[in-house]
Amino acid sequence: GVLEGVRNSLQSAVAQLTADPVVQQQFAQQLVRVLEREDVRHAAANLVLYVIAMPHVKQALENAAKDAVDGVLADIEVRDAARAWLIHVVQSEEVQKKTGDALLQAVKMA
């Protein structure tokens, strides 16, 4: 109908305008100015904190983080590298000395 025609015309006009490099540059400059405003940054930070605090978002983030960690730990190369690093650390003189000192201290206190 008529509404459909008006909507299509508007969409077409907006598409032509937003494709114009001058319009794009002006919009980008305006957007940068808006985003640099302290109140806008503060509001954006609050919005992000609010969204992250939503139970389903928090759960999704926790699940994604867990999946990422599981994926990394499932990688044999990563596990081998971590194992080698841990062995290197445990074998270092400084760690052995501190571990020995801590054990001696624990024995003395017992």
Side-chain angles (χ1 to χ4, degrees):
V2 175
L3 245 62
E4 188 74 21
V6 170
R7 195 171 85 210
N8 289 342
S9 295
L10 277 172
Q11 282 178 336
S12 175
V14 168
Q16 286 174 358
L17 272 174
T18 53
D20 183 334
V22 176
V23 173
Q24 289 176 356
Q25 188 179 6
Q26 290 292 318
F27 180 73
Q29 289 171 349
Q30 191 62 33
L31 188 59
V32 167
R33 278 197 287 277
V34 169
L35 293 176
E36 285 176 341
R37 286 180 28 192
E38 190 62 40
D39 60 332
V40 172
R41 286 203 310 246
H42 188 70
N46 285 342
L47 178 62
V48 169
L49 291 174
Y50 172 76
V51 170
I52 288 173
M54 292 175 155
H56 63 287
V57 174
K58 190 174 176 192
Q59 190 61 55
L61 287 171
E62 287 171 1
N63 292 345
K66 184 186 177 307
D67 289 348
V69 169
D70 288 349
V72 167
L73 293 180
D75 186 315
I76 291 171
E77 280 184 44
V78 172
R79 281 206 313 248
D80 288 348
R83 185 181 300 115
W85 178 82
L86 198 53
I87 288 168
H88 174 73
V89 168
V90 170
Q91 288 177 342
S92 78
E93 284 182 35
E94 186 183 354
V95 169
Q96 288 185 2
K97 183 182 179 329
K98 287 186 177 175
T99 304
D101 291 351
L103 283 171
L104 283 173
Q105 194 64 34
V107 169
K108 286 179 188 172
M109 295 179 117

